[in-house]
Amino acid sequence: AAPYREKMDALGFGFLIPIFFVMSGAQMDLASLFGSSTSMARVPLFLGLLLVLRGLPAMLYRADLAPRERVTLAFLSATSLPLIVVIAELGRASGHMQAENATALVGAGILSVLLYPLIALSLRRPARPGPT
């Protein structure tokens, strides 16, 4: 049973799941996102909410870390895309989420994957000594 399970896992993770993400990305309704300024404003709003809802608990959880390390942990914890894509696709397909909200949410997820690790890594760098 174990070799069969490994083959099924490889098929799912290596083939089927990437197809789901590619198809979900191809179905993003970019016209509705760029169609109005209110739709565009949702992206930074959702990006900020990711930081608050996913980053703040990380800051509160690890009180034994230095403040700079907690902020770094918060940015890394706020990075999210796969779950957002699934939730947005299910919400849009079931009619429980408007297309522009789903697209803005996925856009915020994409930005979180691009920006938040860069911010976290820049916080991890030691401070450069100034000229003496």
Side-chain angles (χ1 to χ4, degrees):
Y4 177 74
R5 179 180 169 91
E6 288 176 17
K7 289 180 182 180
M8 292 304 294
D9 283 347
L11 176 68
F13 290 111
F15 182 69
L16 298 176
I17 290 177
I19 286 176
F20 169 78
F21 284 108
V22 168
M23 293 302 298
S24 297
Q27 294 175 358
M28 282 182 59
D29 188 3
L30 294 176
S32 68
L33 178 64
F34 295 116
S36 73
S37 59
T38 57
S39 294
M40 291 279 295
R42 291 178 184 141
V43 174
L45 173 68
F46 290 155
L47 188 63
L49 286 172
L50 280 173
L51 188 58
V52 170
L53 296 175
R54 293 178 56 106
L56 186 61
M59 287 195 61
L60 298 174
Y61 170 70
R62 295 300 306 244
D64 58 328
L65 295 175
R68 189 173 179 149
E69 291 174 330
R70 282 188 287 174
V71 172
T72 300
L73 179 62
F75 276 106
L76 292 174
S77 297
T79 300
S80 180
L81 185 58
L83 186 61
I84 289 175
V85 170
V86 172
I87 290 169
E89 179 61 24
L90 290 173
R92 190 192 58 73
S94 67
H96 289 92
M97 186 180 290
Q98 296 174 354
E100 55 270 4
N101 285 339
T103 303
L105 190 57
V106 171
I110 291 169
L111 287 176
S112 79
V113 169
L114 294 172
L115 298 177
Y116 288 166
L118 291 173
I119 295 169
L121 289 174
S122 70
L123 291 171
R124 295 280 301 163
R125 290 189 194 128
R128 293 183 192 174
T132 56

